[in-house]
Amino acid sequence: MSDQRALPPHPSFLWRNPDPRDSYDVVIVGGGGHGLATAYYLAKVHGITNVAVLERGWLAGGNMARNTTIIRSNYLWDESAAIYEQSLKLWEGLEEELGYDIFFSQRGVLNLAHTLQDMRDSVRRVEANRLNGVDAEFVTPEQVKEICPIINIGQDIRYPVMGATYQPRAGIAKHDWVAWGYARRASELGVDLIQNCEVTGFDMDGDRVVGVRTTRGDIKAGRVALAAAGHTSTLTELAGFRVPIQSHPLQALVSELHEIIHPTVVMSNHVHVYVSQAHKGELVMGAGVDSYNGYGQRGSFHVIEHQMSAAVELFPAFARAHLLRTWGGIVDVTLDASPIMGLTPVDGMYVDCGWGTGGFKAVPGAGYAFAHTIAHNEPHELNRPYSLERFVTGELIDEHGAAAVAH
Amino acid sequence: MLMIDCPHCGVRPEGEFTYGGQAHVPYPEDPHTLTDEEWAQYLFYRDNPKGAFRERWVHSAGCRKWFNAVRDTRTYDITSTYVGAAPSDTNTTQGAQS
């Protein structure tokens, strides 16, 4: 068996770095996973190649570089299962589609149950998943131990493992390589990827957006698509409308390198930590957002301490592991913990935001549906329920507490 | 961890407090007259500024009283804490009602 830690050779060329042109058919604001995937599917599926992706920093340096790479589709509600399952199906063909290694590893995810209510919710979610064609099973503590031998299923801890849901097709991927894979193919198809280019305003003609102002000059745009995660509301404010998101710090961390000992992904909402092991051997962990609003890409240390205590209780072997690095991203959280994707009050402007703590797994599915929305000026069936209007109609998609809270 | 100056108890670590989101969002004066759009604004829309933000905290593990703070969401520096209405000499964040 080959060493899973070995990396394949890197391609010698990834993407062009052009100067911005005067005009594009579509300008995508935000060069993270969602923006890059959207650009790729616009070019590949819809033949729209006169496209620019504007990124204020470096490509995929925001949340795309800061997530814990968990991919799953075991959400409760039909609307969520539909878009996340479509995304998972795209993940399953992505290495072939992009011709690029992304280290997609379907090692499964366990969502642990520690209370009676957890147990009821978990069984309900497994049944809902099955009805929606999502692979799911309910497993006993002994089966949890078989799937993940390093986990502690003893009764002598504060919140013993009572059971878990298991989605075998879930897994992880190497986030940077995912972004580079999309960027490389998008660039090949003619998309201009423009870094260090911050949007500072929009040019309007009545109710219609006709261009963007940037730190690298003004650019005319037929359509403008926002994929800026935690900074979305600062952009929509420039465009004259509001989105119901709050930007929070979300922290994650890695340990130093260890032997490969963790064969799956373990998530626990109740003691609140999620843990996997990256292909090189770092333990990758995350938990919930910091409670306060923040754009600082950092959070408070007590949040890290809390998730560490949960991790050590579930995985006693981690007690001697050393924390190597912590960091924070800026996640855009909506009240119903579901994304917003669709048209906006501004003609020609589209928004993809509100993915909160769960945007990475949605990269292919969101990009695919958002590209359709932009190309046809109307939502794809997958994102029709995720319109801004749902906050007025009350048709919320309440995944808070319904799925695993930690995305 | 933030160090927060509770107006009643003095400076204490963040772990003693619970966050309450945007401050100065009044309950609608006459809820029966609100349109769906106005209800959406009241229930779901809050300011999300990158910069100074007036927000609520409660000293859960101390005096258990609510108060307000002005905090910069970029640096997390808290410039003031106060009880009650917003001081009129500084910029107030836009209310959530439209």
Side-chain angles (χ1 to χ4, degrees):
Chain A
M1 204 171 127
S2 65
D3 186 344
Q4 76 163 75
R5 292 168 293 187
L7 285 174
H10 214 53
S12 57
F13 179 81
L14 283 170
W15 56 78
R16 298 170 292 112
N17 272 302
D19 288 323
R21 296 206 296 269
D22 292 340
S23 169
Y24 292 94
D25 292 341
V26 177
V27 167
I28 296 170
V29 184
H34 285 232
L36 293 169
T38 302
Y40 169 75
Y41 292 113
L42 266 179
K44 176 80 188 215
V45 178
H46 304 282
I48 300 172
T49 57
N50 185 20
V51 175
V53 178
L54 310 184
E55 168 53 50
R56 74 190 180 101
W58 65 94
L59 277 189
N63 294 346
M64 192 61 176
R66 297 160 192 272
N67 64 83
T68 51
T69 82
I70 297 169
I71 296 162
R72 62 187 181 86
S73 63
N74 56 350
Y75 284 73
L76 177 68
W77 299 116
D78 295 351
E79 298 88 343
S80 316
I83 194 163
Y84 288 109
E85 177 60 19
Q86 171 67 15
S87 199
L88 180 50
K89 284 179 179 149
L90 289 169
W91 279 111
E92 287 173 328
L94 202 57
E95 293 201 334
E96 198 174 341
E97 166 98 24
L98 299 176
Y100 199 81
D101 274 307
I102 57 165
F103 295 87
F104 180 51
S105 163
Q106 289 180 289
R107 56 184 61 191
V109 63
L110 287 164
N111 291 91
L112 304 180
H114 302 274
T115 68
L116 186 57
Q117 191 59 44
D118 270 358
M119 294 286 279
R120 290 174 178 145
D121 292 344
S122 299
V123 172
R124 179 188 181 200
R125 187 157 47 78
V126 163
E127 298 301 335
N129 289 161
R130 286 179 174 171
L131 287 172
N132 278 318
V134 175
D135 60 318
E137 54 193 282
F138 191 81
V139 292
T140 64
E142 291 69 32
Q143 290 171 302
V144 167
K145 188 79 178 169
E146 277 170 31
I147 296 164
C148 185
I150 57 172
I151 203 165
N152 178 12
I153 58 164
Q155 293 297 308
D156 57 343
I157 60 176
R158 177 66 185 85
Y159 294 108
V161 175
M162 297 174 73
T165 69
Y166 185 53
Q167 184 182 19
R169 286 164 61 240
I172 58 173
K174 200 164 165 62
H175 51 105
D176 290 337
W177 290 53
V178 175
W180 299 340
Y182 273 117
R184 182 168 182 244
R185 291 303 175 206
S187 180
E188 261 178 20
L189 291 166
V191 173
D192 282 359
L193 308 176
I194 298 160
Q195 305 181 64
N196 300 308
C197 181
E198 183 168 357
V199 169
T200 56
F202 297 99
D203 285 319
M204 309 288 288
D205 179 5
D207 289 337
R208 186 169 184 86
V209 63
V210 293
V212 295
R213 295 177 198 160
T214 81
T215 51
R216 295 182 66 177
D218 294 353
I219 302 171
K220 291 192 184 68
R223 292 172 185 191
V224 175
L226 308 179
H231 277 84
T232 302
S233 59
T234 63
L235 289 168
T236 63
E237 211 165 277
L238 295 172
F241 66 98
R242 303 173 88 196
V243 283
I245 63 169
Q246 297 280 285
S247 299
H248 288 270
L250 175 63
Q251 303 186 71
L253 59 97
V254 290
S255 74
E256 63 204 329
L257 301 182
H258 292 285
E259 289 296 314
I260 303 301
I261 51 166
H262 189 346
T264 183
V265 181
V266 172
M267 306 180 70
S268 165
N269 290 327
H270 195 75
V271 300
H272 220 176
V273 68
Y274 34 92
V275 187
S276 67
Q277 190 168 21
H279 78 284
K280 276 187 303 182
E282 309 101 314
L283 298 166
V284 183
M285 302 186 209
V289 298
D290 278 63
S291 64
Y292 49 78
N293 292 25
Y295 287 84
Q297 292 189 322
R298 61 195 171 81
S300 294
F301 194 70
H302 68 95
V303 174
I304 297 283
E305 283 183 306
H306 185 74
Q307 70 188 59
M308 287 298 84
S309 61
V312 169
E313 185 152 272
L314 285 174
F315 301 96
F318 294 177
R320 299 289 294 272
H322 291 158
L323 187 152
L324 185 68
R325 206 154 49 83
T326 78
W327 64 88
I330 311 167
V331 298
D332 40 338
V333 177
T334 60
L335 187 113
D336 61 358
S338 287
I340 298 165
M341 197 202 298
L343 279 55
T344 72
V346 175
D347 285 346
M349 187 176 284
Y350 310 87
V351 68
D352 169 40
C353 71
W355 291 92
T357 59
F360 175 74
K361 72 176 73 66
V363 161
Y368 183 83
F370 198 36
H372 178 102
T373 304
I374 299 160
H376 296 275
N377 192 39
E378 71 169 49
H380 189 278
E381 285 311 311
L382 286 172
N383 62 299
R384 194 177 294 281
Y386 293 103
S387 69
L388 256 179
E389 285 78 38
R390 78 173 186 273
F391 296 97
V392 176
T393 63
E395 278 188 88
L396 302 180
I397 303 161
D398 187 9
E399 283 290 340
H400 251 310
V405 175
H407 285 248
Chain B
M1 190 180 291
L2 306 179
M3 296 302 288
I4 299 173
D5 188 4
C6 172
H8 309 286
C9 308
V11 177
R12 300 292 174 86
E14 179 195 340
E16 295 186 11
F17 297 85
T18 306
Y19 190 60
Q22 183 180 350
H24 310 304
V25 180
Y27 187 74
E29 277 191 22
D30 185 0
H32 298 289
T33 63
L34 256 55
T35 63
D36 289 351
E37 173 63 34
E38 286 166 336
W39 269 119
Q41 291 289 327
Y42 172 67
L43 290 172
F44 304 131
Y45 284 75
R46 293 293 180 271
D47 293 344
N48 190 29
K50 188 177 184 180
F53 188 43
R54 290 187 183 279
E55 61 190 18
R56 307 173 76 213
W57 290 87
V58 60
H59 195 181
S60 317
C63 62
R64 298 163 63 198
K65 289 177 181 162
W66 285 93
F67 61 93
N68 303 317
V70 182
R71 190 177 53 90
D72 190 309
T73 60
R74 293 165 297 192
T75 62
Y76 305 164
D77 291 338
I78 296 171
T79 49
S80 67
T81 56
Y82 58 95
V83 176
S88 56
D89 58 340
T90 48
N91 293 329
T92 54
T93 51
Q94 189 197 336
Q97 285 184 299
S98 62

